[in-house]
Amino acid sequence: MRIAIIGASRGIGAELVKQARAGGHHAVAVARRVESQAAADLTPIEGSILDPSIAKRAIEGADAVAWCVGVKTLGPAALRKVTIFSEGTQRIIEAMKGAGVKRLAVITGIGAGESRGHGGFLYDWIALPLIIGAIYADKNRQEALVKASGLDWTIIRPTLLTNGPQTGQYRVLTDLAGVQGGRISRADCADCLMRATTDGAWSRQAILITE
């Protein structure tokens, strides 16, 4: 498969590029700065996904799209209005519809949509309202766009991210009763994205993943 990976330079996106190539797939790695060189199984595209021409190049010929974009959670970016998630996702949806690409898997996070209130006391009452509120307000807008897109989508909400190894052993939850916090490695988030993009797992579902 040819997988367009948006936000591929670090974190979950970089892990997904590695796993996709290891699995025999072609990765289209899209980021503002791309250090990797083109290869038989890798197409790097450098630029902002807010640029319609970049979105079009990224999606062309793709079988599926994975959104892995992140922003800094501390400092000025977390305090001002955030729009990269909703605006970038809108560009991707438009490009996918234009190219006839149907499969979209999106990483958001615990605290978005129906998962709000399940992050634990410190996260729900301090981090969300005081530190990352603007980020999650835009992730909510992003999720609404994805759900209304008419595409074959999956929304993946990880709990607290770690740099642990890929285990493939994690829980996939749609019923959040009793869930309060948790953690999961970025490598396992990429593993979940691989299942969503290549196998079409959890079609038109919003899932929470945790150890």
Side-chain angles (χ1 to χ4, degrees):
M1 287 183 65
R2 185 180 178 94
I3 306 170
I5 302 168
I6 316 303
S9 62
R10 58 190 178 92
I12 297 170
E15 286 286 345
L16 183 57
V17 169
K18 180 168 51 176
Q19 291 181 29
R21 298 177 73 188
H25 303 288
H26 188 103
V28 181
V30 186
R32 288 182 179 273
R33 292 185 180 179
V34 180
E35 296 181 1
S36 302
Q37 299 297 314
D41 60 354
L42 176 66
T43 299
I45 297 179
E46 187 168 278
S48 171
I49 200 59
L50 298 179
D51 182 341
S53 66
I54 294 293
K56 184 177 180 180
R57 284 178 58 200
I59 303 306
E60 186 175 4
D63 298 297
V65 179
W67 174 278
C68 311
V69 173
V71 297
K72 292 182 179 179
T73 56
L74 296 175
L79 298 177
R80 62 176 182 261
K81 184 176 180 180
V82 176
T83 60
I84 180 63
F85 300 104
S86 57
E87 290 184 10
T89 298
Q90 184 61 48
R91 294 288 183 278
I92 285 297
I93 290 170
E94 290 168 356
M96 289 178 69
K97 289 183 175 180
V101 180
K102 297 294 186 183
R103 190 74 184 119
L104 172 64
V106 174
I107 288 279
T108 59
I110 190 168
E114 303 87 353
S115 69
R116 190 175 182 90
H118 292 276
F121 178 80
L122 292 176
Y123 187 83
D124 294 336
W125 293 96
I126 296 176
L128 268 177
L130 301 179
I131 301 174
I132 54 176
I135 292 171
Y136 272 78
D138 197 41
K139 289 192 176 189
N140 285 337
R141 291 188 288 270
Q142 176 188 29
E143 288 198 0
L145 287 168
V146 171
K147 290 178 179 179
S149 67
L151 298 172
D152 180 16
W153 56 267
T154 299
I155 292 171
I156 301 170
R157 300 165 176 155
T159 49
L160 180 67
L161 294 171
T162 74
N163 289 321
Q166 178 185 357
T167 68
Q169 303 297 315
Y170 47 87
R171 291 182 292 157
V172 177
L173 306 174
T174 54
D175 181 357
L176 302 185
V179 175
Q180 289 295 318
R183 62 184 61 215
I184 188 166
S185 71
R186 290 173 174 84
D188 273 340
C189 288
D191 181 273
C192 187
L193 274 168
M194 279 292 294
R195 294 168 65 187
T197 52
T198 60
D199 300 340
W202 312 292
S203 178
R204 300 202 175 185
Q205 293 185 70
I207 61 173
L208 185 139
I209 55 174
T210 189
E211 289 180 347

